[in-house]
PDB file of all heavy atoms in Angstrom:
ATOM      1  N   PHE I   1      51.985 180.687 102.217  1.00 91.00           N
ATOM      2  CA  PHE I   1      51.913 179.244 102.256  1.00 91.00           C
ATOM      3  C   PHE I   1      50.853 178.731 101.185  1.00 91.00           C
ATOM      4  O   PHE I   1      51.160 177.822 100.403  1.00 91.00           O
ATOM      5  CB  PHE I   1      51.475 178.621 103.667  1.00 91.00           C
ATOM      6  CG  PHE I   1      51.131 177.259 103.616  1.00 91.00           C
ATOM      7  CD1 PHE I   1      52.195 176.303 103.562  1.00 91.00           C
ATOM      8  CD2 PHE I   1      49.864 176.730 103.697  1.00 91.00           C
ATOM      9  CE1 PHE I   1      51.997 174.874 103.645  1.00 91.00           C
ATOM     10  CE2 PHE I   1      49.530 175.423 103.708  1.00 91.00           C
ATOM     11  CZ  PHE I   1      50.605 174.386 103.611  1.00 91.00           C
ATOM     12  N   LEU I   2      49.751 179.451 101.110  1.00 90.00           N
ATOM     13  CA  LEU I   2      48.719 179.062 100.154  1.00 90.00           C
ATOM     14  C   LEU I   2      49.232 179.404  98.716  1.00 90.00           C
ATOM     15  O   LEU I   2      48.837 178.620  97.697  1.00 90.00           O
ATOM     16  CB  LEU I   2      47.451 179.864 100.499  1.00 90.00           C
ATOM     17  CG  LEU I   2      46.648 179.417 101.687  1.00 90.00           C
ATOM     18  CD1 LEU I   2      45.509 180.350 101.837  1.00 90.00           C
ATOM     19  CD2 LEU I   2      46.117 177.878 101.483  1.00 90.00           C
ATOM     20  N   LEU I   3      49.874 180.420  98.493  1.00 87.00           N
ATOM     21  CA  LEU I   3      50.518 180.690  97.181  1.00 87.00           C
ATOM     22  C   LEU I   3      51.429 179.635  96.727  1.00 87.00           C
ATOM     23  O   LEU I   3      51.464 179.135  95.605  1.00 87.00           O
ATOM     24  CB  LEU I   3      51.328 182.012  97.274  1.00 87.00           C
ATOM     25  CG  LEU I   3      51.694 182.713  95.872  1.00 87.00           C
ATOM     26  CD1 LEU I   3      50.498 182.831  94.977  1.00 87.00           C
ATOM     27  CD2 LEU I   3      52.500 183.916  96.156  1.00 87.00           C
ATOM     28  N   LEU I   4      52.263 179.046  97.699  1.00 91.00           N
ATOM     29  CA  LEU I   4      53.214 177.965  97.419  1.00 91.00           C
ATOM     30  C   LEU I   4      52.421 176.748  97.145  1.00 91.00           C
ATOM     31  O   LEU I   4      52.754 176.055  96.240  1.00 91.00           O
ATOM     32  CB  LEU I   4      54.111 177.771  98.560  1.00 91.00           C
ATOM     33  CG  LEU I   4      55.072 176.668  98.476  1.00 91.00           C
ATOM     34  CD1 LEU I   4      55.986 176.766  97.308  1.00 91.00           C
ATOM     35  CD2 LEU I   4      55.869 176.394  99.819  1.00 91.00           C
ATOM     36  N   LEU I   5      51.312 176.625  97.950  1.00 92.00           N
ATOM     37  CA  LEU I   5      50.483 175.324  97.718  1.00 92.00           C
ATOM     38  C   LEU I   5      49.859 175.309  96.396  1.00 92.00           C
ATOM     39  O   LEU I   5      49.725 174.292  95.632  1.00 92.00           O
ATOM     40  CB  LEU I   5      49.468 175.219  98.810  1.00 92.00           C
ATOM     41  CG  LEU I   5      48.633 173.930  98.907  1.00 92.00           C
ATOM     42  CD1 LEU I   5      49.559 172.683  99.146  1.00 92.00           C
ATOM     43  CD2 LEU I   5      47.713 174.078 100.017  1.00 92.00           C
ATOM     44  N   LEU I   6      49.458 176.447  95.905  1.00 89.00           N
ATOM     45  CA  LEU I   6      48.807 176.690  94.606  1.00 89.00           C
ATOM     46  C   LEU I   6      49.758 176.348  93.480  1.00 89.00           C
ATOM     47  O   LEU I   6      49.320 175.721  92.544  1.00 89.00           O
ATOM     48  CB  LEU I   6      48.165 178.127  94.432  1.00 89.00           C
ATOM     49  CG  LEU I   6      47.317 178.308  93.173  1.00 89.00           C
ATOM     50  CD1 LEU I   6      46.062 177.564  93.389  1.00 89.00           C
ATOM     51  CD2 LEU I   6      47.109 179.785  92.945  1.00 89.00           C
ATOM     52  N   ALA I   7      50.978 176.879  93.643  1.00 89.00           N
ATOM     53  CA  ALA I   7      52.047 176.421  92.684  1.00 89.00           C
ATOM     54  C   ALA I   7      52.257 174.977  92.591  1.00 89.00           C
ATOM     55  O   ALA I   7      52.366 174.385  91.495  1.00 89.00           O
ATOM     56  CB  ALA I   7      53.312 177.247  92.997  1.00 89.00           C
ATOM     57  N   ILE I   8      52.307 174.331  93.734  1.00 91.00           N
ATOM     58  CA  ILE I   8      52.485 172.809  93.815  1.00 91.00           C
ATOM     59  C   ILE I   8      51.310 172.139  93.202  1.00 91.00           C
ATOM     60  O   ILE I   8      51.425 171.166  92.489  1.00 91.00           O
ATOM     61  CB  ILE I   8      52.770 172.450  95.160  1.00 91.00           C
ATOM     62  CG1 ILE I   8      54.104 173.031  95.771  1.00 91.00           C
ATOM     63  CG2 ILE I   8      52.853 170.875  95.339  1.00 91.00           C
ATOM     64  CD1 ILE I   8      54.301 172.794  97.209  1.00 91.00           C
ATOM     65  N   ALA I   9      50.148 172.657  93.548  1.00 88.00           N
ATOM     66  CA  ALA I   9      48.906 172.044  92.999  1.00 88.00           C
ATOM     67  C   ALA I   9      48.834 172.083  91.402  1.00 88.00           C
ATOM     68  O   ALA I   9      48.150 171.251  90.833  1.00 88.00           O
ATOM     69  CB  ALA I   9      47.630 172.684  93.623  1.00 88.00           C
ATOM     70  N   ALA I  10      49.458 173.104  90.887  1.00 88.00           N
ATOM     71  CA  ALA I  10      49.447 173.215  89.415  1.00 88.00           C
ATOM     72  C   ALA I  10      50.489 172.316  88.704  1.00 88.00           C
ATOM     73  O   ALA I  10      50.353 172.194  87.473  1.00 88.00           O
ATOM     74  CB  ALA I  10      49.721 174.794  89.090  1.00 88.00           C
ATOM     75  N   VAL I  11      51.317 171.833  89.445  1.00 89.00           N
ATOM     76  CA  VAL I  11      52.336 170.987  88.786  1.00 89.00           C
ATOM     77  C   VAL I  11      51.763 169.786  87.973  1.00 89.00           C
ATOM     78  O   VAL I  11      52.184 169.485  86.928  1.00 89.00           O
ATOM     79  CB  VAL I  11      53.421 170.487  89.853  1.00 89.00           C
ATOM     80  CG1 VAL I  11      54.238 169.343  89.322  1.00 89.00           C
ATOM     81  CG2 VAL I  11      54.266 171.684  90.444  1.00 89.00           C
ATOM     82  N   PRO I  12      50.718 169.007  88.569  1.00 88.00           N
ATOM     83  CA  PRO I  12      50.245 167.964  87.843  1.00 88.00           C
ATOM     84  C   PRO I  12      49.601 168.347  86.526  1.00 88.00           C
ATOM     85  O   PRO I  12      49.629 167.595  85.538  1.00 88.00           O
ATOM     86  CB  PRO I  12      49.197 167.376  88.764  1.00 88.00           C
ATOM     87  CG  PRO I  12      49.524 167.805  90.075  1.00 88.00           C
ATOM     88  CD  PRO I  12      50.226 169.035  89.994  1.00 88.00           C
ATOM     89  N   GLY I  13      49.186 169.615  86.324  1.00 85.00           N
ATOM     90  CA  GLY I  13      48.728 170.145  85.099  1.00 85.00           C
ATOM     91  C   GLY I  13      49.695 170.263  84.006  1.00 85.00           C
ATOM     92  O   GLY I  13      49.381 170.209  82.840  1.00 85.00           O
ATOM     93  N   SER I  14      50.932 170.259  84.505  1.00 84.00           N
ATOM     94  CA  SER I  14      52.101 170.311  83.490  1.00 84.00           C
ATOM     95  C   SER I  14      52.570 168.980  83.146  1.00 84.00           C
ATOM     96  O   SER I  14      53.178 168.839  82.064  1.00 84.00           O
ATOM     97  CB  SER I  14      53.172 171.190  84.037  1.00 84.00           C
ATOM     98  OG  SER I  14      52.857 172.524  84.363  1.00 84.00           O
ATOM     99  N   LEU I  15      52.362 168.008  84.003  1.00 88.00           N
ATOM    100  CA  LEU I  15      52.988 166.573  83.829  1.00 88.00           C
ATOM    101  C   LEU I  15      51.913 165.709  83.191  1.00 88.00           C
ATOM    102  O   LEU I  15      52.350 164.781  82.491  1.00 88.00           O
ATOM    103  CB  LEU I  15      53.392 166.080  85.176  1.00 88.00           C
ATOM    104  CG  LEU I  15      54.471 166.919  85.929  1.00 88.00           C
ATOM    105  CD1 LEU I  15      54.738 166.183  87.179  1.00 88.00           C
ATOM    106  CD2 LEU I  15      55.700 167.100  85.136  1.00 88.00           C
ATOM    107  N   VAL I  16      50.623 166.023  83.469  1.00 88.00           N
ATOM    108  CA  VAL I  16      49.593 165.098  82.936  1.00 88.00           C
ATOM    109  C   VAL I  16      48.744 165.797  81.892  1.00 88.00           C
ATOM    110  O   VAL I  16      48.353 167.013  82.151  1.00 88.00           O
ATOM    111  CB  VAL I  16      48.718 164.564  84.074  1.00 88.00           C
ATOM    112  CG1 VAL I  16      47.738 163.566  83.613  1.00 88.00           C
ATOM    113  CG2 VAL I  16      49.638 163.860  85.057  1.00 88.00           C
ATOM    114  N   PRO I  17      48.384 165.137  80.723  1.00 86.00           N
ATOM    115  CA  PRO I  17      47.655 165.936  79.720  1.00 86.00           C
ATOM    116  C   PRO I  17      46.214 166.383  80.349  1.00 86.00           C
ATOM    117  O   PRO I  17      45.710 165.493  81.185  1.00 86.00           O
ATOM    118  CB  PRO I  17      47.422 164.979  78.634  1.00 86.00           C
ATOM    119  CG  PRO I  17      47.790 163.564  79.214  1.00 86.00           C
ATOM    120  CD  PRO I  17      48.716 163.805  80.271  1.00 86.00           C
ATOM    121  N   GLN I  18      45.733 167.457  79.932  1.00 82.00           N
ATOM    122  CA  GLN I  18      44.466 168.005  80.489  1.00 82.00           C
ATOM    123  C   GLN I  18      43.374 167.824  79.361  1.00 82.00           C
ATOM    124  O   GLN I  18      43.627 168.095  78.103  1.00 82.00           O
ATOM    125  CB  GLN I  18      44.689 169.404  80.812  1.00 82.00           C
ATOM    126  CG  GLN I  18      45.762 169.642  81.872  1.00 82.00           C
ATOM    127  CD  GLN I  18      45.368 168.929  83.247  1.00 82.00           C
ATOM    128  OE1 GLN I  18      44.429 169.332  83.873  1.00 82.00           O
ATOM    129  NE2 GLN I  18      46.137 167.999  83.538  1.00 82.00           N
ATOM    130  N   ARG I  19      42.199 167.418  79.785  1.00 78.00           N
ATOM    131  CA  ARG I  19      41.057 167.309  78.932  1.00 78.00           C
ATOM    132  C   ARG I  19      40.675 168.639  78.141  1.00 78.00           C
ATOM    133  O   ARG I  19      40.374 168.618  77.020  1.00 78.00           O
ATOM    134  CB  ARG I  19      39.822 166.762  79.578  1.00 78.00           C
ATOM    135  CG  ARG I  19      39.923 165.272  79.845  1.00 78.00           C
ATOM    136  CD  ARG I  19      38.479 164.772  80.213  1.00 78.00           C
ATOM    137  NE  ARG I  19      38.546 163.317  80.446  1.00 78.00           N
ATOM    138  CZ  ARG I  19      38.851 162.638  81.569  1.00 78.00           C
ATOM    139  NH1 ARG I  19      39.049 163.409  82.570  1.00 78.00           N
ATOM    140  NH2 ARG I  19      38.863 161.349  81.735  1.00 78.00           N
ATOM    141  N   GLY I  20      40.748 169.649  78.896  1.00 69.00           N
ATOM    142  CA  GLY I  20      40.391 170.986  78.298  1.00 69.00           C
ATOM    143  C   GLY I  20      41.421 171.446  77.238  1.00 69.00           C
ATOM    144  O   GLY I  20      41.148 172.435  76.542  1.00 69.00           O
ATOM    145  N   VAL I  21      42.630 170.883  77.278  1.00 71.00           N
ATOM    146  CA  VAL I  21      43.671 171.307  76.383  1.00 71.00           C
ATOM    147  C   VAL I  21      43.936 170.353  75.165  1.00 71.00           C
ATOM    148  O   VAL I  21      43.899 170.752  74.037  1.00 71.00           O
ATOM    149  CB  VAL I  21      45.006 171.539  77.143  1.00 71.00           C
ATOM    150  CG1 VAL I  21      46.108 171.861  76.200  1.00 71.00           C
ATOM    151  CG2 VAL I  21      44.833 172.572  78.238  1.00 71.00           C
ATOM    152  N   ASP I  22      44.023 169.027  75.570  1.00 71.00           N
ATOM    153  CA  ASP I  22      44.320 168.092  74.470  1.00 71.00           C
ATOM    154  C   ASP I  22      43.606 166.814  74.883  1.00 71.00           C
ATOM    155  O   ASP I  22      44.166 165.998  75.538  1.00 71.00           O
ATOM    156  CB  ASP I  22      45.692 167.843  74.230  1.00 71.00           C
ATOM    157  CG  ASP I  22      46.104 167.085  73.025  1.00 71.00           C
ATOM    158  OD1 ASP I  22      45.189 166.529  72.433  1.00 71.00           O
ATOM    159  OD2 ASP I  22      47.297 167.064  72.663  1.00 71.00           O
ATOM    160  N   ALA I  23      42.303 166.608  74.553  1.00 71.00           N
ATOM    161  CA  ALA I  23      41.582 165.474  74.855  1.00 71.00           C
ATOM    162  C   ALA I  23      42.179 164.140  74.300  1.00 71.00           C
ATOM    163  O   ALA I  23      42.189 163.062  74.828  1.00 71.00           O
ATOM    164  CB  ALA I  23      40.116 165.604  74.419  1.00 71.00           C
ATOM    165  N   ARG I  24      42.683 164.272  73.097  1.00 70.00           N
ATOM    166  CA  ARG I  24      43.420 163.124  72.396  1.00 70.00           C
ATOM    167  C   ARG I  24      44.497 162.614  73.195  1.00 70.00           C
ATOM    168  O   ARG I  24      44.792 161.387  73.305  1.00 70.00           O
ATOM    169  CB  ARG I  24      43.826 163.434  70.947  1.00 70.00           C
ATOM    170  CG  ARG I  24      42.600 163.662  70.022  1.00 70.00           C
ATOM    171  CD  ARG I  24      43.095 163.923  68.638  1.00 70.00           C
ATOM    172  NE  ARG I  24      43.708 165.222  68.490  1.00 70.00           N
ATOM    173  CZ  ARG I  24      45.074 165.400  68.303  1.00 70.00           C
ATOM    174  NH1 ARG I  24      45.882 164.336  68.450  1.00 70.00           N
ATOM    175  NH2 ARG I  24      45.684 166.617  68.329  1.00 70.00           N
ATOM    176  N   ALA I  25      45.245 163.519  73.777  1.00 78.00           N
ATOM    177  CA  ALA I  25      46.451 163.067  74.591  1.00 78.00           C
ATOM    178  C   ALA I  25      45.899 162.431  75.880  1.00 78.00           C
ATOM    179  O   ALA I  25      46.591 161.448  76.268  1.00 78.00           O
ATOM    180  CB  ALA I  25      47.290 164.354  74.967  1.00 78.00           C
ATOM    181  N   VAL I  26      44.802 162.787  76.343  1.00 84.00           N
ATOM    182  CA  VAL I  26      44.287 162.061  77.502  1.00 84.00           C
ATOM    183  C   VAL I  26      43.794 160.623  77.202  1.00 84.00           C
ATOM    184  O   VAL I  26      44.070 159.677  77.871  1.00 84.00           O
ATOM    185  CB  VAL I  26      42.975 162.771  78.092  1.00 84.00           C
ATOM    186  CG1 VAL I  26      42.319 162.040  79.242  1.00 84.00           C
ATOM    187  CG2 VAL I  26      43.425 164.220  78.712  1.00 84.00           C
ATOM    188  N   GLU I  27      43.100 160.455  76.008  1.00 75.00           N
ATOM    189  CA  GLU I  27      42.796 159.246  75.525  1.00 75.00           C
ATOM    190  C   GLU I  27      44.079 158.386  75.338  1.00 75.00           C
ATOM    191  O   GLU I  27      44.023 157.088  75.639  1.00 75.00           O
ATOM    192  CB  GLU I  27      42.049 159.345  74.187  1.00 75.00           C
ATOM    193  CG  GLU I  27      40.682 159.945  74.280  1.00 75.00           C
ATOM    194  CD  GLU I  27      39.989 160.180  72.945  1.00 75.00           C
ATOM    195  OE1 GLU I  27      40.598 159.681  71.886  1.00 75.00           O
ATOM    196  OE2 GLU I  27      38.913 160.656  72.979  1.00 75.00           O
ATOM    197  N   ALA I  28      45.066 158.852  74.767  1.00 75.00           N
ATOM    198  CA  ALA I  28      46.322 158.186  74.587  1.00 75.00           C
ATOM    199  C   ALA I  28      46.918 157.732  75.944  1.00 75.00           C
ATOM    200  O   ALA I  28      47.437 156.601  76.073  1.00 75.00           O
ATOM    201  CB  ALA I  28      47.266 158.878  73.620  1.00 75.00           C
ATOM    202  N   TYR I  29      46.813 158.593  76.861  1.00 84.00           N
ATOM    203  CA  TYR I  29      47.383 158.201  78.216  1.00 84.00           C
ATOM    204  C   TYR I  29      46.685 157.148  78.824  1.00 84.00           C
ATOM    205  O   TYR I  29      47.265 156.257  79.520  1.00 84.00           O
ATOM    206  CB  TYR I  29      47.247 159.461  79.051  1.00 84.00           C
ATOM    207  CG  TYR I  29      47.994 159.421  80.408  1.00 84.00           C
ATOM    208  CD1 TYR I  29      49.340 159.776  80.509  1.00 84.00           C
ATOM    209  CD2 TYR I  29      47.563 158.890  81.424  1.00 84.00           C
ATOM    210  CE1 TYR I  29      50.050 159.794  81.691  1.00 84.00           C
ATOM    211  CE2 TYR I  29      48.234 158.683  82.695  1.00 84.00           C
ATOM    212  CZ  TYR I  29      49.494 159.180  82.762  1.00 84.00           C
ATOM    213  OH  TYR I  29      50.198 159.131  83.971  1.00 84.00           O
ATOM    214  N   PHE I  30      45.263 157.027  78.609  1.00 84.00           N
ATOM    215  CA  PHE I  30      44.559 155.913  79.127  1.00 84.00           C
ATOM    216  C   PHE I  30      45.009 154.601  78.588  1.00 84.00           C
ATOM    217  O   PHE I  30      45.033 153.642  79.158  1.00 84.00           O
ATOM    218  CB  PHE I  30      43.035 156.229  78.994  1.00 84.00           C
ATOM    219  CG  PHE I  30      42.424 156.874  80.132  1.00 84.00           C
ATOM    220  CD1 PHE I  30      42.470 158.205  80.242  1.00 84.00           C
ATOM    221  CD2 PHE I  30      41.607 156.143  81.045  1.00 84.00           C
ATOM    222  CE1 PHE I  30      41.871 158.904  81.247  1.00 84.00           C
ATOM    223  CE2 PHE I  30      40.946 156.721  82.091  1.00 84.00           C
ATOM    224  CZ  PHE I  30      41.167 158.091  82.235  1.00 84.00           C
ATOM    225  N   LEU I  31      45.349 154.700  77.223  1.00 77.00           N
ATOM    226  CA  LEU I  31      45.656 153.427  76.476  1.00 77.00           C
ATOM    227  C   LEU I  31      47.115 153.069  76.941  1.00 77.00           C
ATOM    228  O   LEU I  31      47.281 151.848  77.072  1.00 77.00           O
ATOM    229  CB  LEU I  31      45.732 153.724  75.037  1.00 77.00           C
ATOM    230  CG  LEU I  31      44.332 153.958  74.380  1.00 77.00           C
ATOM    231  CD1 LEU I  31      44.478 154.324  72.823  1.00 77.00           C
ATOM    232  CD2 LEU I  31      43.363 152.704  74.551  1.00 77.00           C
ATOM    233  N   GLU I  32      47.975 153.996  77.221  1.00 81.00           N
ATOM    234  CA  GLU I  32      49.359 153.626  77.535  1.00 81.00           C
ATOM    235  C   GLU I  32      49.420 153.356  79.144  1.00 81.00           C
ATOM    236  O   GLU I  32      50.377 152.580  79.530  1.00 81.00           O
ATOM    237  CB  GLU I  32      50.286 154.781  77.296  1.00 81.00           C
ATOM    238  CG  GLU I  32      50.324 155.153  75.918  1.00 81.00           C
ATOM    239  CD  GLU I  32      51.137 156.454  75.567  1.00 81.00           C
ATOM    240  OE1 GLU I  32      51.682 156.997  76.632  1.00 81.00           O
ATOM    241  OE2 GLU I  32      51.316 156.774  74.378  1.00 81.00           O
ATOM    242  N   HIS I  33      48.576 153.889  80.008  1.00 85.00           N
ATOM    243  CA  HIS I  33      48.675 153.592  81.418  1.00 85.00           C
ATOM    244  C   HIS I  33      47.250 153.059  81.913  1.00 85.00           C
ATOM    245  O   HIS I  33      46.540 153.832  82.570  1.00 85.00           O
ATOM    246  CB  HIS I  33      49.013 154.871  82.129  1.00 85.00           C
ATOM    247  CG  HIS I  33      50.365 155.352  81.645  1.00 85.00           C
ATOM    248  ND1 HIS I  33      50.322 156.351  80.521  1.00 85.00           N
ATOM    249  CD2 HIS I  33      51.676 155.225  82.077  1.00 85.00           C
ATOM    250  CE1 HIS I  33      51.627 156.611  80.305  1.00 85.00           C
ATOM    251  NE2 HIS I  33      52.409 155.881  81.310  1.00 85.00           N
ATOM    252  N   PRO I  34      46.799 151.880  81.511  1.00 85.00           N
ATOM    253  CA  PRO I  34      45.382 151.498  81.897  1.00 85.00           C
ATOM    254  C   PRO I  34      45.171 151.344  83.305  1.00 85.00           C
ATOM    255  O   PRO I  34      44.040 151.287  83.736  1.00 85.00           O
ATOM    256  CB  PRO I  34      45.311 150.149  81.059  1.00 85.00           C
ATOM    257  CG  PRO I  34      46.785 149.626  80.851  1.00 85.00           C
ATOM    258  CD  PRO I  34      47.590 150.943  80.726  1.00 85.00           C
ATOM    259  N   LYS I  35      46.209 151.190  84.105  1.00 87.00           N
ATOM    260  CA  LYS I  35      46.077 150.861  85.478  1.00 87.00           C
ATOM    261  C   LYS I  35      46.004 152.182  86.287  1.00 87.00           C
ATOM    262  O   LYS I  35      45.212 152.389  87.206  1.00 87.00           O
ATOM    263  CB  LYS I  35      47.146 149.963  86.091  1.00 87.00           C
ATOM    264  CG  LYS I  35      47.178 148.578  85.519  1.00 87.00           C
ATOM    265  CD  LYS I  35      48.193 147.742  86.146  1.00 87.00           C
ATOM    266  CE  LYS I  35      48.216 146.298  85.615  1.00 87.00           C
ATOM    267  NZ  LYS I  35      49.312 145.342  86.167  1.00 87.00           N
ATOM    268  N   SER I  36      46.927 152.987  86.149  1.00 88.00           N
ATOM    269  CA  SER I  36      47.109 154.311  86.864  1.00 88.00           C
ATOM    270  C   SER I  36      46.062 155.325  86.408  1.00 88.00           C
ATOM    271  O   SER I  36      45.649 156.300  87.227  1.00 88.00           O
ATOM    272  CB  SER I  36      48.516 154.903  86.784  1.00 88.00           C
ATOM    273  OG  SER I  36      48.920 155.120  85.508  1.00 88.00           O
ATOM    274  N   ALA I  37      45.751 155.364  85.123  1.00 88.00           N
ATOM    275  CA  ALA I  37      44.841 156.495  84.499  1.00 88.00           C
ATOM    276  C   ALA I  37      43.508 156.703  85.144  1.00 88.00           C
ATOM    277  O   ALA I  37      43.120 157.712  85.513  1.00 88.00           O
ATOM    278  CB  ALA I  37      44.693 156.249  82.970  1.00 88.00           C
ATOM    279  N   PRO I  38      42.733 155.472  85.498  1.00 89.00           N
ATOM    280  CA  PRO I  38      41.565 155.693  86.210  1.00 89.00           C
ATOM    281  C   PRO I  38      41.572 156.291  87.603  1.00 89.00           C
ATOM    282  O   PRO I  38      40.830 157.146  88.006  1.00 89.00           O
ATOM    283  CB  PRO I  38      40.958 154.219  86.290  1.00 89.00           C
ATOM    284  CG  PRO I  38      41.581 153.436  85.142  1.00 89.00           C
ATOM    285  CD  PRO I  38      42.969 154.103  84.990  1.00 89.00           C
ATOM    286  N   THR I  39      42.705 155.910  88.287  1.00 91.00           N
ATOM    287  CA  THR I  39      42.961 156.506  89.619  1.00 91.00           C
ATOM    288  C   THR I  39      43.219 158.026  89.551  1.00 91.00           C
ATOM    289  O   THR I  39      42.645 158.745  90.327  1.00 91.00           O
ATOM    290  CB  THR I  39      44.103 155.833  90.293  1.00 91.00           C
ATOM    291  OG1 THR I  39      43.796 154.346  90.422  1.00 91.00           O
ATOM    292  CG2 THR I  39      44.296 156.352  91.760  1.00 91.00           C
ATOM    293  N   LEU I  40      44.065 158.333  88.550  1.00 90.00           N
ATOM    294  CA  LEU I  40      44.456 159.809  88.428  1.00 90.00           C
ATOM    295  C   LEU I  40      43.155 160.584  87.948  1.00 90.00           C
ATOM    296  O   LEU I  40      42.888 161.781  88.399  1.00 90.00           O
ATOM    297  CB  LEU I  40      45.464 160.016  87.376  1.00 90.00           C
ATOM    298  CG  LEU I  40      46.863 159.416  87.684  1.00 90.00           C
ATOM    299  CD1 LEU I  40      47.854 159.537  86.560  1.00 90.00           C
ATOM    300  CD2 LEU I  40      47.401 160.108  89.002  1.00 90.00           C
ATOM    301  N   ASP I  41      42.309 159.981  87.219  1.00 89.00           N
ATOM    302  CA  ASP I  41      41.003 160.631  86.686  1.00 89.00           C
ATOM    303  C   ASP I  41      40.114 160.807  87.976  1.00 89.00           C
ATOM    304  O   ASP I  41      39.437 161.921  88.101  1.00 89.00           O
ATOM    305  CB  ASP I  41      40.343 159.697  85.712  1.00 89.00           C
ATOM    306  CG  ASP I  41      39.272 160.441  84.888  1.00 89.00           C
ATOM    307  OD1 ASP I  41      39.228 161.728  84.936  1.00 89.00           O
ATOM    308  OD2 ASP I  41      38.446 159.821  84.358  1.00 89.00           O
ATOM    309  N   LYS I  42      40.026 159.911  88.859  1.00 89.00           N
ATOM    310  CA  LYS I  42      39.141 160.102  89.966  1.00 89.00           C
ATOM    311  C   LYS I  42      39.713 161.258  90.928  1.00 89.00           C
ATOM    312  O   LYS I  42      39.013 161.908  91.562  1.00 89.00           O
ATOM    313  CB  LYS I  42      39.101 158.848  90.847  1.00 89.00           C
ATOM    314  CG  LYS I  42      38.282 157.748  90.103  1.00 89.00           C
ATOM    315  CD  LYS I  42      38.313 156.451  91.071  1.00 89.00           C
ATOM    316  CE  LYS I  42      37.562 155.375  90.361  1.00 89.00           C
ATOM    317  NZ  LYS I  42      37.460 154.057  91.209  1.00 89.00           N
ATOM    318  N   LEU I  43      40.986 161.403  90.861  1.00 89.00           N
ATOM    319  CA  LEU I  43      41.647 162.417  91.655  1.00 89.00           C
ATOM    320  C   LEU I  43      41.581 163.847  91.043  1.00 89.00           C
ATOM    321  O   LEU I  43      42.075 164.805  91.638  1.00 89.00           O
ATOM    322  CB  LEU I  43      43.076 162.044  92.008  1.00 89.00           C
ATOM    323  CG  LEU I  43      43.326 160.924  93.041  1.00 89.00           C
ATOM    324  CD1 LEU I  43      44.808 160.488  93.035  1.00 89.00           C
ATOM    325  CD2 LEU I  43      42.670 161.092  94.294  1.00 89.00           C
ATOM    326  N   GLY I  44      41.086 163.817  89.780  1.00 88.00           N
ATOM    327  CA  GLY I  44      41.010 165.052  89.044  1.00 88.00           C
ATOM    328  C   GLY I  44      42.251 165.621  88.411  1.00 88.00           C
ATOM    329  O   GLY I  44      42.487 166.759  87.993  1.00 88.00           O
ATOM    330  N   PHE I  45      43.224 164.677  88.104  1.00 89.00           N
ATOM    331  CA  PHE I  45      44.476 165.004  87.568  1.00 89.00           C
ATOM    332  C   PHE I  45      44.396 165.369  86.030  1.00 89.00           C
ATOM    333  O   PHE I  45      45.282 166.026  85.538  1.00 89.00           O
ATOM    334  CB  PHE I  45      45.513 163.953  87.737  1.00 89.00           C
ATOM    335  CG  PHE I  45      46.224 163.844  89.055  1.00 89.00           C
ATOM    336  CD1 PHE I  45      45.535 164.010  90.243  1.00 89.00           C
ATOM    337  CD2 PHE I  45      47.626 163.912  89.182  1.00 89.00           C
ATOM    338  CE1 PHE I  45      46.055 164.175  91.483  1.00 89.00           C
ATOM    339  CE2 PHE I  45      48.156 164.012  90.378  1.00 89.00           C
ATOM    340  CZ  PHE I  45      47.452 164.109  91.611  1.00 89.00           C
TER     341      PHE I  45
END
C-alpha cells in the first residue's frame, strides 16, 4: 500500500514544474495561474 501511495504521491512532480528542475517554468506557472499557484506552493507541489 505504501509503495502504491509513493507512486501516487510522485504524480504531481510529473504534472507540475519543480523548482529543483526548472525554476523558470515555476515562475511562468505563477504568472499563468496566479490564483492556484500560491495554494499549490503551500502544499509543496
Side-chain angles (χ1 to χ4, degrees):
F1 172 75
L2 289 172
L3 188 60
L4 176 62
L5 188 61
L6 187 70
I8 295 173
V11 170
S14 302
L15 301 178
V16 181
Q18 301 295 294
R19 282 197 176 92
V21 178
D22 194 344
R24 290 184 291 105
V26 175
E27 293 177 358
Y29 191 94
F30 268 82
L31 294 175
E32 296 173 2
H33 306 85
K35 294 183 178 180
S36 61
T39 302
L40 294 177
D41 195 20
K42 290 180 181 179
L43 295 175
F45 275 50

